[in-house]
Amino acid sequence: MKKFYIETFGCQMNAHDSEKVIVTLVGEGYSQVPTVDEADLVLYNTCSIRDKAEQKVYARIQDFKRRKDKIVGVLGCVAQQEGEKIFERAPHVSLVAGSASYNLLPQMLVQIEAGNRRVTGLSLDTEDTFEVPYTKRDNPHKAFLTIIEGCSKSCAYCVVPMTRGPERSRTSASVLTEARQLVEDGYSEITLLGQNVNSYLDPSETRLDFAMLLRRIGKIDGLKRVRFTTSHPRDFVKEIVDAVDENPVLCNHIHLPVQSGSTDVLNRMQRLYTRDEYMRRIEWMKNARREITITSDIIVGFPGETEEDFEQTLRLLDEVQYDAIFSFKYSQRPNTPALQYADHLSEEEKSRRLTIVQEHQRQIQIPRNAAYIGRVQEVMVDGYNKATQQWLGKSSQHKTIGFSHSAMPGPTADGATLEGSYLDVRVTRSGPNSLAGEAVV
Ligand code: 5AD
Ligand code: SF4
């Protein structure tokens, strides 16, 4: 039996791609092993969103320089971005393939087995999506489900359109069949995935758009929670908020990355919306009957970002009152338009702004979370944290909640656990990033 080991870097899209790559390899007669030592084939599914992520990948690949007994493959975004250059920088690598070529993995494996040590899958010229026979997910209760691959936007800082190729939607029939199958197999939460889920458009005759697809998935019997990520503000329509408002199965949390609070910076980022247009979308969510939590991504120190631009981002955080943000220093990426822009900021200035943004947001989150004290939230249990002796889970709003349970203080010796169950928890304490409480029993 041929054995492979796979390690995944980066986003949820990559995590789910790896799940699909695993089924593909198993279909070709390989078996997965948990350590590099046991493997004949070592695969890295890589991320290149920022320079730091890419450097981490190279460091890992270099670890294997002297392991002549292993075949090393690089998949994902670094593979697509660097292409054959990887063979020069890491001559012990034999396979380089981007996500738009995963359908060709079986052929590539045949070449590897035939002794070819320079096998590539780098074409972005595809209309296909990567669909595999039904696959078990890494988590027994929560499943990722791809609805759209690639990205056809052209944000000036972003490498993704070049690493994942153009936008391709799956048919709604195939998405719905997979979703039903997941529920039959006991999954109760599904996260719909895409670089830009709200650009979804069914390529078959039904022409379902994202809001319509959401409504259909939300009606599947037995499904408890549906999440989706990521949304792009440009294509984010009110029907999406209406769908969430009408069906409690659709989680009341929306991740809508703004990147900057300055219209001038947004223009130069080629984000295709203004600050006011973004704020209109926020109003839709704030005016919903359900209480929708909102999260975002922020880039600080984009080329030419003035102190005034930066201030506008801080003011936007005040206005929106996000429940959480992911914030990043602008990082130069190969072949992106922003590389050519004037006025790149120093690393020190970017770090200074990052610290300010993070502290500013922290001060917003402390009172927001404190307002939950005394309220009861339904939590889906992810597991037990031995260190804090608490169960841990997430609310529909995607808040992390740690809690005690009087009847079941922890997992029992015979394997009984609360993992995967849905419980009401009364919130008694809060911090900037999480809530804590007691199960209502
Ligand atoms: N530099 C810094 N952050 C970036 N992101 C994407 N590209 C870059 C870059 N070049 C951030 C954006 C995006 C998130 C996934 O990563 O905020 O929403
Ligand atoms: Fe990283 Fe983006 Fe590729 Fe995901 S799509 S792995 S975030 S570069």
Side-chain angles (χ1 to χ4, degrees), residues 49-50 157-158 257 259 297-299 328-331 333:
I49 193 87
R50 283 169 292 275
Y157 50 81
C158 189
Q259 312 300 357
D297 295 342
I298 303 281
I299 296 177
F328 312 103
K329 290 189 271 187
Y330 165 73
S331 167
R333 301 287 64 217

Side-chain angles (χ1 to χ4, degrees), residues 182-380:
L182 286 166
V183 176
E184 239 168 68
D185 278 19
Y187 296 90
S188 63
E189 177 178 308
I190 292 180
T191 301
L192 307 176
L193 288 183
Q195 294 303 330
N196 186 355
V197 284
N198 44 332
S199 295
Y200 177 83
L201 189 62
D202 189 341
S204 69
E205 279 96 72
T206 61
R207 304 304 281 171
L208 289 191
D209 66 14
F210 179 59
M212 296 193 274
L213 181 74
L214 258 189
R215 285 179 191 275
R216 296 274 177 100
I217 293 178
K219 278 192 202 129
I220 295 175
D221 255 356
L223 188 54
K224 292 270 293 175
R225 286 185 176 176
V226 178
R227 303 187 182 278
F228 51 90
T229 194
T230 292
S231 301
H232 188 294
R234 163 70 175 227
D235 309 318
F236 190 85
V237 294
K238 184 160 179 301
E239 283 72 19
I240 299 170
V241 179
D242 294 343
V244 170
D245 215 7
E246 285 161 25
N247 184 353
V249 169
L250 306 178
C251 289
N252 46 347
H253 162 231
I254 293 177
H255 184 61
L256 194 68
V258 68
Q259 312 300 357
S260 166
S262 151
T263 295
D264 190 39
V265 172
L266 290 172
N267 267 332
R268 281 183 297 110
M269 286 180 166
Q270 300 174 30
R271 287 290 286 177
L272 310 172
Y273 56 85
T274 63
R275 178 197 174 102
D276 286 350
E277 284 164 346
Y278 181 85
M279 287 309 295
R280 207 165 308 142
R281 284 147 181 77
I282 297 297
E283 283 313 305
W284 296 337
M285 293 187 245
K286 301 252 180 208
N287 290 332
R289 287 178 302 270
R290 290 178 76 200
E291 193 184 334
I292 298 176
T293 50
I294 310 169
T295 55
S296 194
D297 295 342
I298 303 281
I299 296 177
V300 299
F302 187 72
E305 183 188 71
T306 62
E307 195 60 41
E308 167 58 22
D309 291 323
F310 177 60
E311 280 293 319
Q312 288 195 34
T313 297
L314 299 179
R315 296 290 80 78
L316 183 126
L317 299 186
D318 294 334
E319 278 178 51
V320 176
Q321 295 280 307
Y322 289 115
D323 291 276
I325 62 168
F326 299 94
S327 49
F328 312 103
K329 290 189 271 187
Y330 165 73
S331 167
Q332 297 187 349
R333 301 287 64 217
N335 306 316
T336 53
L339 271 187
Q340 315 300 327
Y341 288 7
D343 301 327
H344 282 262
L345 279 72
S346 69
E347 227 17 65
E348 293 69 41
E349 183 55 19
K350 287 192 272 187
S351 300
R352 187 185 74 86
R353 292 186 188 183
L354 186 69
T355 308
I356 294 174
V357 148
Q358 292 179 341
E359 180 52 28
H360 199 86
Q361 177 61 24
R362 196 180 130 87
Q363 294 309 325
I364 290 172
Q365 285 172 209
I366 291 171
R368 278 194 76 72
N369 282 342
Y372 283 85
I373 293 175
R375 292 177 60 182
V376 172
Q377 302 281 295
E378 187 186 46
V379 173
M380 186 211 191

Side-chain angles (χ1 to χ4, degrees), residues 25-82:
L25 264 69
V26 169
E28 297 304 308
Y30 284 73
S31 69
Q32 187 182 6
V33 290
T35 64
V36 168
D37 283 337
E38 298 164 69
D40 312 306
L41 172 65
V42 178
L43 296 174
Y44 295 108
N45 189 4
T46 63
C47 174
S48 62
I49 193 87
R50 283 169 292 275
D51 189 54
K52 236 197 216 158
E54 183 177 337
Q55 294 320 320
K56 201 161 118 190
V57 166
Y58 269 114
R60 184 69 99 258
I61 299 169
Q62 297 303 348
D63 287 350
F64 284 91
K65 235 174 173 161
R66 279 175 222 92
R67 301 292 298 263
K68 293 236 161 39
D69 53 324
K70 315 270 178 215
I71 291 173
V72 179
V74 181
L75 307 178
C77 292
V78 175
Q80 189 67 50
Q81 177 191 298
E82 297 297 294

